[in-house]
Amino acid sequence: FGLTLSLVVGLGSAGRVAAQTGLTVEQKTTFQALSLTSGDLVQTISLRGADREKVVTTGRMKVLFIGHDASSTELIRLDQGQIYQIDDKKKTYTATSLADQRAKVQESQRHLEQQSGQKDGDDVRYTVVSDGVQRTGQRRTINGFTTEEVVLKLTVIAENTKTHEKGPVFFLTSDLWLDPSQKAAARANVAFSQAYASQLGLDPRSSGNPYGRWMKDLYGEIGKLDGYPIVSTVTVTGPEGDATSPQPTPTGPSAAEVADNPVGAALGGLLRRAAKPKPTPTPNPATAPSAAAATTGPVLFTSTTEVTSISTTAPPAAGFELPTGYKAK
């Protein structure tokens, strides 16, 4: 569902799944981005080595109140330099080279940067306040996994450089239930994530990635955690009192763009408004709001992923080949 959603959800799942030998994860995901996009998906994610991934998805998505089947199969072969989208109903596939995908990602980054006005300009500067990792001490058994709760929070602050007015733009909270015994799955997770990002010329934590500089502290904290997230809930909220949720406009993103980037559409509206001068200054502009501060602002985006099974046995190599008899579109 697009680059930005993947990045935000990545905070709640510590990266993508892969391994030196193999890994198979079955999981369920639901998400909602304002009233723009929602989904209810079931996925089987399989890896063999650090260069092959297969994601089989079933379920439905809704874009601007129109529902459609979200079932798909994606096969990533880093060793072949190809990404395949497989249509099992029509027995066809499309192939995209990693070079072409890298160009698309870079174009998407430029578009998101322009859409949200993320770059510091003459009138606005963005900073991040992070509460880091908070271990709550709570433990739960989920789907047979013994987990402990970890909460990560950050707040993005906008400051008008001319008036020095300052205030929160949005809050991001990631609530993770980790199984510390699943260290091998977690290492596998990072292995493929890094290999794939390298092939795309993309580091999700780099300053050149939209939202990346706001997330790098959180990625750093996640990197210190042991274990694999069994349940991950990511919530992005706007500041309290911001009752008007960003919505597409005639000059805004198209339905297709919203489907590919629902979080960017929401956050972009908040960032554009944060960059505008405000009539009165905040009482104490030198003090940045804490990410731990309670917020009752609008929920821009929420996603929950629940893992139902994990296997670190290498899947058969044949499962990472194009199905016999399928034709290129």
Side-chain angles (χ1 to χ4, degrees):
F1 7 108
L3 176 64
T4 304
L5 179 57
S6 298
L7 288 173
V8 174
V9 172
L11 291 177
S13 57
R16 295 175 63 122
V17 207
Q20 292 294 327
T21 55
L23 185 66
T24 301
V25 174
E26 295 184 356
Q27 62 185 37
K28 301 181 291 185
T29 297
T30 59
F31 69 91
Q32 175 79 43
L34 298 173
S35 58
L36 305 178
T37 308
S38 62
D40 191 352
L41 310 174
V42 176
Q43 292 181 306
T44 299
I45 305 171
S46 307
L47 287 112
R48 185 179 176 87
D51 59 4
R52 304 178 193 186
E53 180 189 58
K54 184 177 182 179
V55 181
V56 179
T57 301
T58 59
R60 295 189 63 80
M61 285 180 60
K62 184 182 292 184
V63 180
L64 299 177
F65 308 107
I66 300 175
H68 65 88
D69 184 8
S71 301
S72 65
T73 298
E74 180 180 63
L75 177 62
I76 300 176
R77 292 292 300 264
L78 301 183
D79 57 327
Q80 297 178 356
Q82 296 288 330
I83 302 172
Y84 302 98
Q85 301 294 335
I86 301 171
D87 188 329
D88 289 307
K89 292 181 180 179
K90 298 181 179 179
K91 298 188 182 303
T92 59
Y93 68 89
T94 58
T96 302
S97 71
L98 282 170
D100 287 343
Q101 185 67 12
R102 182 164 52 247
K104 290 178 182 178
V105 168
Q106 292 170 350
E107 176 60 29
S108 178
Q109 287 180 306
R110 287 191 292 270
H111 174 74
L112 290 176
E113 204 166 65
Q114 294 168 358
Q115 180 190 71
S116 63
Q118 277 185 275
K119 283 188 174 179
D120 291 347
D122 295 334
D123 299 333
V124 65
R125 179 184 297 118
Y126 298 106
T127 56
V128 170
V129 177
S130 174
D131 282 5
V133 173
Q134 306 293 325
R135 298 181 182 272
T136 68
Q138 298 296 312
R139 298 178 183 275
R140 286 171 53 192
T141 299
I142 304 172
N143 298 331
F145 298 97
T146 301
T147 69
E148 57 185 54
E149 185 182 33
V150 175
V151 179
L152 305 96
K153 299 180 180 180
L154 65 77
T155 303
V156 174
I157 308 296
E159 179 184 6
N160 187 306
T161 57
K162 293 182 177 179
T163 65
H164 300 293
E165 296 163 328
K166 183 183 293 187
V169 181
F170 65 83
F171 306 86
L172 187 148
T173 301
S174 186
D175 186 1
L176 312 177
W177 290 86
L178 296 167
D179 183 345
S181 72
Q182 295 292 335
K183 292 182 176 64
R187 287 194 295 268
N189 213 332
V190 173
F192 186 82
S193 177
Q194 291 179 340
Y196 189 36
S198 177
Q199 289 276 2
L200 293 179
L202 169 67
D203 182 349
R205 296 160 291 185
S206 70
S207 60
N209 186 293
Y211 314 105
R213 60 177 166 168
W214 304 335
M215 296 180 177
K216 64 180 180 181
D217 291 341
L218 217 55
Y219 271 99
E221 297 293 346
I222 287 174
K224 300 175 186 176
L225 300 176
D226 288 328
Y228 196 89
I230 304 305
V231 173
S232 325
T233 300
V234 175
T235 305
V236 179
T237 59
E240 186 176 2
D242 187 3
T244 305
S245 298
Q247 298 286 346
T249 65
T251 58
S254 66
E257 290 170 324
V258 168
D260 188 57
N261 180 25
V263 182
L267 300 187
L270 285 178
L271 290 168
R272 284 190 293 273
R273 273 182 282 173
K276 296 178 181 179
K278 299 176 183 178
T280 56
T282 55
N284 185 2
T287 303
S290 168
T295 175
T296 56
V299 176
L300 306 178
F301 170 80
T302 183
S303 172
T304 298
T305 296
E306 178 181 348
V307 172
T308 54
S309 70
I310 296 176
S311 171
T312 53
T313 301
F320 297 86
E321 302 294 337
L322 287 171
T324 302
Y326 282 39
K327 298 181 179 180
K329 292 177 65 175

